[in-house]
Amino acid sequence: MFRIGAHVSISDGFPAAVDHEVDLGGNCGQIFVGSPRGWAVSEVDETEAEAFQETTEERDVRPWIVHGTYLVNLATPKDDLAEKSVDCVQSELDATAALGVPYYVFHPGAHTGAGESTGIRNVGERLSEVDVPDDVTLLLENTAGKGTTVGKRLEDLDEMVEVSSHGYGDLGICLDTCHLFAAGYDFRDDAGMADLADDIEATVGYENVHYLHLNDSKHPLGSEKDEHQHVGEGEIGEDGFRLFVNHDGLRENPMVLETPVDEKGYEWNIETVKRLRTGD
């Protein structure tokens, strides 16, 4: 079954997030387990976790994914920030497991002047300090590449996994379309999509891509700017998304939207992706 959804709030509690997703027309979804711009992780009440799992099952909204706080930086040269980031990732992973959610995704971070190769190695080594729960897969998200952020190239994500003591299995990949495009991957026509497909196969491998973030880009190809636009209304356009969401190597993955929340909103974007999707 085609799984498409959006990021939804947990402000009304975890079980209510499932209903919010259904109201948008989604059948999978993404949540935070705390403030995206803070270090605190919400305590997961056992009763609420059970209610969340029951509602998920009843309404057939799955799989869920938890997005990590934006403050996490495993690439940093600063030991105190690295320690805080590792502790936060661990707490978020534990909350993910307590909710019965199978995926957790985060941004690798920035090397802030230490050098790209050092930042990439830092991510891998610090991932080794994390205990990934048995029923959770930790996903690395590709980045747009702005400033000193690492993870712009697919081979960089692959190196992070290789450096880590976990390897694929405990770890996997989440691909963001806006980030791919901003990083210079052009998949707006058949030739470009074929090139991206070859890059995925040669680096992280399709089998290790578990989730997709669908966001158009407000800025041109290779801009390294991470500003999301409604699907089909940015620089990627409908042709690019049609190729991406229908590609044989990607189409079975769950997909969530992180598009602007304005007069169009998530419901409009979900319907747009459903229209672009073929063969279901």
Side-chain angles (χ1 to χ4, degrees), residues 77-91:
K78 299 177 181 178
D79 291 339
D80 56 344
L81 178 55
E83 182 178 358
K84 200 169 187 177
S85 296
V86 168
D87 289 345
C88 184
V89 168
Q90 187 65 67
S91 295

Side-chain angles (χ1 to χ4, degrees), residues 1-3 241-242 244-247 250-253 255 271-280:
M1 178 185 290
F2 176 38
R3 295 286 175 176
F241 278 97
R242 185 178 288 106
F244 191 87
V245 303
N246 289 298
H247 189 273
L250 300 171
R251 61 182 285 116
E252 299 306 320
N253 286 308
M255 310 175 189
E271 286 304 313
T272 299
V273 176
K274 286 179 178 178
R275 175 171 56 80
L276 297 174
R277 173 81 171 198
T278 60
D280 292 307

Side-chain angles (χ1 to χ4, degrees), residues 89-100:
V89 168
Q90 187 65 67
S91 295
E92 291 181 323
L93 278 169
D94 292 342
T96 302
L99 286 166

Side-chain angles (χ1 to χ4, degrees), residues 34-272:
S35 168
R37 304 192 185 280
W39 292 104
V41 178
S42 300
E43 184 175 347
V44 178
D45 177 78
E46 185 176 345
T47 301
E48 188 174 22
E50 289 178 359
F52 172 76
Q53 292 166 23
E54 288 171 2
T55 310
T56 290
E57 201 66 31
E58 289 168 2
R59 310 215 69 177
D60 191 23
V61 179
R62 57 188 167 190
W64 286 90
I65 184 170
V66 167
H67 198 300
T69 175
Y70 300 136
L71 298 183
V72 164
N73 186 356
L74 296 191
T76 180
K78 299 177 181 178
D79 291 339
D80 56 344
L81 178 55
E83 182 178 358
K84 200 169 187 177
S85 296
V86 168
D87 289 345
C88 184
V89 168
Q90 187 65 67
S91 295
E92 291 181 323
L93 278 169
D94 292 342
T96 302
L99 286 166
V101 171
Y103 297 111
Y104 167 82
V105 63
F106 78 108
H107 301 167
H111 64 75
T112 63
E116 192 172 38
S117 61
T118 298
I120 291 169
R121 181 159 290 276
N122 282 347
V123 175
E125 291 176 351
R126 286 155 183 168
L127 281 171
S128 301
E129 301 175 31
V130 174
D131 178 21
V132 182
D134 288 341
D135 296 328
V136 178
T137 304
L138 187 158
L139 305 183
L140 294 164
E141 182 174 345
N142 64 302
T143 65
K146 184 177 181 180
T148 64
T149 56
V150 297
K152 171 184 175 180
R153 294 178 295 270
L154 297 178
E155 56 262 39
D156 297 340
L157 299 180
D158 191 48
E159 184 178 348
M160 292 171 195
V161 176
E162 291 302 313
V163 170
S164 167
S165 61
H166 291 289
Y168 289 114
D170 285 343
L171 308 182
I173 304 298
C174 173
L175 294 179
D176 183 297
T177 52
C178 175
H179 299 175
L180 283 169
F181 187 77
Y185 292 95
D186 190 355
F187 48 93
R188 292 174 295 183
D189 57 29
D190 289 334
M193 188 66 227
D195 287 342
L196 173 59
D198 289 344
D199 283 341
I200 294 171
E201 190 169 14
T203 55
V204 297
Y206 284 115
E207 68 277 12
N208 298 311
V209 177
H210 296 277
Y211 229 102
L212 306 175
H213 284 165
L214 301 184
N215 304 296
D216 212 325
S217 174
K218 288 186 178 181
H219 300 282
L221 177 71
S223 66
E224 297 188 343
K225 293 181 179 180
D226 180 13
E227 279 196 84
H228 299 178
Q229 181 57 286
H230 297 295
V231 170
E233 297 205 339
E235 295 290 328
I236 298 173
E238 286 198 356
D239 288 344
F241 278 97
R242 185 178 288 106
L243 288 167
F244 191 87
V245 303
N246 289 298
H247 189 273
D248 287 344
L250 300 171
R251 61 182 285 116
E252 299 306 320
N253 286 308
M255 310 175 189
V256 292
L257 295 145
E258 301 168 321
T259 45
V261 180
D262 53 26
E263 67 278 359
K264 281 192 169 69
Y266 285 136
E267 188 172 4
W268 183 92
N269 283 274
I270 287 173
E271 286 304 313
T272 299

